[in-house]
Structures are given as structure tokens and as C-alpha cells.
Amino acid sequence: MSLTTHFELISKTILFAGLPDNHIHQLLNISREKEFPRNEIIFSEGDPANGFYVNADGLVKIYKLSSEGKEQILHIFGPGEPFGEVPVFSGKTFPAYAETISPCKALFFPRQSFVNLVSANPSLALNMLSVLSMRLRHFTVQIENLSLKEVPGRLAAYFLMLSIEQKSPKSVMLNITKSQLASLIGTIPETLSRMLNRMAAQNLLHVEGRRINLTDMEGLKVLAETGRLPGAE
């Protein structure tokens, strides 16, 4: 990536949006570009949190592993999104794994250099607090969905979230595999396929490969709120 591309990436990412150009240039000065192939582990749970990343290209999944080795995806980050920033100020360890889903490029911000920069520019900290608050709300909703809702409700909530993110009220495009989607909502691929078929049979949606046509938005909203399909066991 060129310096101009780096500048645009940093200035548009949610962590640093609205910062003056001189602060963006200071961030550029401490960043390092990194490239990762597909299925590369960027950091593991328990690794020292020596810095964080802003994704420039590709997809990165953040996940936990159970004692039996079962993967639970917590989030999937695309271009322009930061990841690994939560433990930066604590100076402790990463609480989860980060692995590429596709070949990726990212800017890496070393922890100590960033902390020094924030100490000199408190406005950076305000932006980060806003992002961390949003992340906390996201994980609160995710925990609620996983613990209180059945699979159809989690799936409906995910499609509704995608429709907002993609600004498309009638259809959404999946940028992950159905196996990864199953992990993200806390189920297995077989159950996911069964639920998609049941939701299609009730005319809530129609699946065309990775495109999901949302044929009954009101029905999906009710399903997301109640967490259950009519007649579900």
C-alpha cells in the first residue's frame, strides 16, 4: 500500500475518524504494514498484547477455543476495521485468537509507541473509548443471543444486522462461508442448513448461494426478538 492509501485507511477507520491530518501522520509514522496469507494465525489467546491492527484488505476472524477444541467465532472484521485493540492499554495478553479467512493486509500499531502517542494527544483516547464502548455493547448482545435465544432467532438477528451494515433492506450478501456463519451464531453447519430451510419454507427469506433475499422483514424482526420459529421444539 502507498502512503496515500495508508493515510486514507487510517483517517477513515472508526478508531481515528475525525482526527486532524497531523495526528493521522503521527499514526502513520508508528505503523507498520503487514501481509498474511489465508488461514494464518495473527495472534493466539495468551500472546502478549504488543500492539493492535487496522485491517486494510481481506477478512479476519476473532475466535475462542473450548477445552474440546470447538471454535466459537466472536467477530469477523473486514477492511477498515481495527482488531486486537482491547488489551492495548492493559499491557496484558490477547483474550482470543485472530486468524485470516482470506489473504490480508493490515497496519500494525506497536503498543508502546501508540501509548506514548495517546499520552501526548488525549483526543486519540476519546475516539478509542467510543469504539471500545461499541464493542462492549456488541459482545453484550452476542452473549444475550447465544444464551437466551434459539438458533433461528440468532440467525434472524444476524441477517437484520447485515441488512443495516450493507444498507440493503431486501437482501444481504454473505462474505463468509456457511460453516463460519454457523460458528459465529453458536451452532453447527447441519443445524444452520436446517434452519435456513425452515425459514425459507415460512417465506421469511430465500437463499441464492451467498445472497440471502429477506422476503419478510417484519417476520424476521419478530423472530429475532422472540428467538424461536413457530412450532419449534
Side-chain angles (χ1 to χ4, degrees):
M1 292 185 290
S2 66
L3 284 177
T4 301
T5 305
H6 286 175
F7 184 93
E8 292 176 352
L9 174 67
I10 293 175
S11 61
K12 290 179 180 178
T13 189
I14 192 169
L15 273 182
F16 309 125
L19 290 177
D21 287 358
N22 63 313
H23 287 181
I24 301 297
H25 284 295
Q26 289 174 326
L27 288 162
L28 269 176
N29 290 336
I30 67 168
S31 68
R32 300 201 299 268
E33 182 180 343
K34 294 193 174 189
E35 294 189 26
F36 305 96
R38 183 173 177 266
N39 297 330
E40 175 87 356
I41 293 179
I42 299 174
F43 54 76
S44 298
E45 182 176 356
D47 284 351
N50 58 352
F52 68 97
Y53 300 81
V54 172
N55 192 17
D57 186 48
L59 295 173
V60 175
K61 65 178 178 179
I62 306 297
Y63 64 96
K64 300 274 283 186
L65 288 176
S66 70
S67 56
E68 294 80 23
K70 181 181 178 182
E71 179 182 294
Q72 171 64 59
I73 296 178
L74 303 175
H75 205 103
I76 293 177
F77 293 113
E81 294 187 285
F83 63 94
E85 78 281 4
V86 172
V88 162
F89 289 112
S90 69
K92 295 182 179 179
T93 59
F94 288 113
Y97 292 82
E99 182 178 338
T100 59
I101 293 176
S102 61
C104 287
K105 293 181 181 179
L107 289 182
F108 174 71
F109 296 84
R111 176 185 177 273
Q112 194 54 57
S113 298
F114 185 75
V115 169
N116 292 341
L117 193 57
V118 167
S119 298
N121 300 284
S123 56
L124 282 171
L126 292 176
N127 276 41
M128 288 201 75
L129 283 172
S130 174
V131 172
L132 295 179
S133 296
M134 286 189 290
R135 292 278 165 88
L136 179 59
R137 286 197 296 272
H138 166 80
F139 286 122
T140 300
V141 171
Q142 187 173 28
I143 290 169
E144 177 184 299
N145 287 340
L146 290 174
S147 60
L148 300 179
K149 292 182 181 179
E150 301 293 337
V151 173
R154 300 176 216 159
L155 191 54
Y158 181 75
F159 288 147
L160 291 172
M161 180 193 71
L162 275 188
S163 73
I164 294 171
E165 289 182 351
Q166 297 180 10
K167 298 179 181 179
S168 177
K170 295 184 178 180
S171 69
V172 296
M173 284 293 295
L174 294 177
N175 58 5
I176 57 177
T177 67
K178 288 179 181 176
S179 177
Q180 290 161 348
L181 174 57
S183 176
L184 186 62
I185 64 170
T187 189
I188 58 177
E190 293 79 9
T191 301
L192 173 65
S193 295
R194 188 164 62 251
M195 290 303 102
L196 284 172
N197 289 336
R198 292 183 64 181
M199 292 166 75
Q202 295 188 12
N203 296 317
L204 292 171
L205 51 77
H206 178 64
V207 180
E208 296 179 354
R210 291 203 173 189
R211 178 173 294 280
I212 312 295
N213 296 311
L214 309 178
T215 52
D216 184 356
M217 289 294 286
E218 289 306 314
L220 287 170
K221 290 176 183 177
V222 171
L223 177 56
E225 291 173 1
T226 63
R228 297 179 68 85
L229 279 167
E233 297 178 0

